[in-house]
Amino acid sequence: MNNSTFKNFSYHNYAQLLNQISGYLPIMSYDEINSSTSRFLIIRHDVEFSINRAHAMALIEEKLGISSNYFFQIRSNSYNLLSKQNIDMILSIKKMGHKVGLHVHLGSCNENQDIKDYIINDINILSNILGISINSFSFHRPIRKILEKNLKIDGLLNTYQDLFFELTDDYENAKVRYISDSNHQWKYGDPFNLKFENIQKVQLLIHPDNWTKSGENNLKNFMYLIDEKNQEIRDTFREECITYPPELN
Ligand SMILES: [Zn+2]
């Protein structure tokens, strides 16, 4: 990576990136795209650790007049999707005009289970929890075998199906250019240095957990994230313990 052109993971730079790409490509959601769509930019967010950070990013996009796609886990050990605070935040994200989908964690899917049934079951859970219909899903850390399946389920959109993604090692020439900030790095190319005038289709995967107002490196970003989660659990304990009687000794 060329350090002279590297831009940090700050909200300011994220907004600049969206402005830059949307100057060349129309921003679309998964359900707006079909086989005859010739140009698009899909903005996808997989939420791993913090619904607060997802909400902060959604607000930035709303200010820019941009709609994107947020995928939440129901099996995360980092956040509780069933809490009232989190349900309210996700519904607020939806109200801003963004789409909400399932981020599929296959960790509990055993080899005898049909993967389609597993996903449909999780989609139904998410839909029931939020009280909204869900029609899209993204895989969490999919292995190649899963991507090769090009899984299609009636009534649902897989972010890795061939309409939105091409599994190839020659990623620079893929029919859909895949850009991802996974692991806090641009493994498939730094979008700040790409020439979007030469690209027709883009799926941009941005993890809200990676980004902050100040744009920190990986270690500091996680330290901030831990601070935020720490504050969240302290607030929760305070609220729950307020009615406890005073200690006598
Ligand atoms: Zn993930």
Side-chain angles (χ1 to χ4, degrees):
M1 192 174 291
N2 183 345
N3 283 326
S4 64
T5 53
F6 178 72
K7 301 213 175 186
N8 69 18
F9 290 77
S10 69
Y11 289 154
H12 172 82
N13 285 336
Y14 178 60
Q16 198 188 51
L17 178 64
L18 292 189
N19 279 331
Q20 185 194 331
I21 310 179
S22 62
Y24 295 103
L25 295 171
I27 295 172
M28 301 178 88
S29 61
Y30 293 93
D31 54 8
E32 289 175 309
I33 293 166
N34 58 43
S35 54
S36 56
T37 310
S38 56
R39 300 167 69 249
F40 61 74
L41 163 63
I42 304 169
I43 305 165
R44 163 178 154 210
H45 301 297
D46 290 349
V47 181
E48 318 289 9
F49 304 120
S50 168
I51 295 181
N52 281 303
R53 285 203 178 179
H55 192 261
M57 189 157 266
L59 284 169
I60 291 166
E61 291 168 343
E62 187 192 33
K63 271 190 204 152
L64 294 170
I66 282 171
S67 299
S68 70
N69 305 272
Y70 286 81
F71 293 86
F72 297 94
Q73 293 191 31
I74 62 165
R75 299 176 184 272
S76 171
N77 207 26
S78 299
Y79 57 77
N80 172 18
L81 196 107
L82 275 78
S83 80
K84 174 155 175 35
Q85 288 93 327
N86 284 338
I87 290 172
D88 287 349
M89 258 191 292
I90 295 171
L91 293 179
S92 165
I93 287 171
K94 184 170 167 55
K95 212 172 163 190
M96 291 178 211
H98 306 299
K99 297 278 166 65
V100 171
L102 174 74
H103 194 34
V104 179
H105 196 301
L106 287 171
S108 301
C109 184
N110 67 54
E111 53 200 36
N112 301 321
Q113 206 170 356
D114 184 284
I115 190 171
K116 286 187 183 180
D117 291 344
Y118 179 91
I119 292 168
I120 290 167
N121 181 56
D122 281 10
I123 288 266
N124 288 336
I125 291 171
L126 181 61
S127 175
N128 288 336
I129 291 167
L130 297 174
I132 58 177
S133 68
I134 303 289
N135 70 357
S136 56
F137 64 91
S138 68
F139 285 110
H140 174 60
R141 299 173 66 179
I143 55 172
R144 197 175 174 98
K145 213 170 90 184
I146 289 289
L147 298 179
E148 282 169 352
K149 279 182 193 287
N150 187 26
L151 192 70
K152 289 174 183 167
I153 304 178
D154 282 349
L156 298 177
L157 297 167
N158 170 8
T159 63
Y160 288 109
Q161 72 186 69
D162 48 11
L163 203 50
F164 316 117
F165 180 78
E166 184 185 4
L167 184 60
T168 171
D169 293 324
D170 185 18
Y171 58 83
E172 287 184 10
N173 295 307
K175 65 182 172 108
V176 180
R177 183 74 201 241
Y178 183 68
I179 301 168
S180 165
D181 68 348
S182 291
N183 301 336
H184 221 248
Q185 59 182 345
W186 301 112
K187 192 177 161 191
Y188 304 101
D190 179 346
F192 292 99
N193 295 322
L194 284 180
K195 295 203 181 320
F196 286 96
E197 56 265 49
N198 301 328
I199 300 172
Q200 307 301 314
K201 298 176 179 178
V202 174
Q203 178 170 190
L204 174 67
L205 170 56
I206 296 286
H207 294 78
D209 299 292
N210 283 344
W211 299 72
T212 53
K213 187 164 190 285
S214 47
E216 303 298 343
N217 66 25
N218 198 25
L219 179 64
K220 210 165 176 190
N221 179 58
F222 267 108
M223 286 168 66
Y224 280 11
L225 198 50
I226 290 167
D227 287 347
E228 290 162 29
K229 300 300 267 187
N230 196 333
Q231 189 58 51
E232 202 180 330
I233 199 81
R234 279 167 182 273
D235 290 345
T236 302
F237 288 172
R238 190 178 300 114
E239 232 171 82
E240 293 295 331
C241 298
I242 205 156
T243 56
Y244 276 34
E247 297 274 8
L248 294 176
N249 52 16

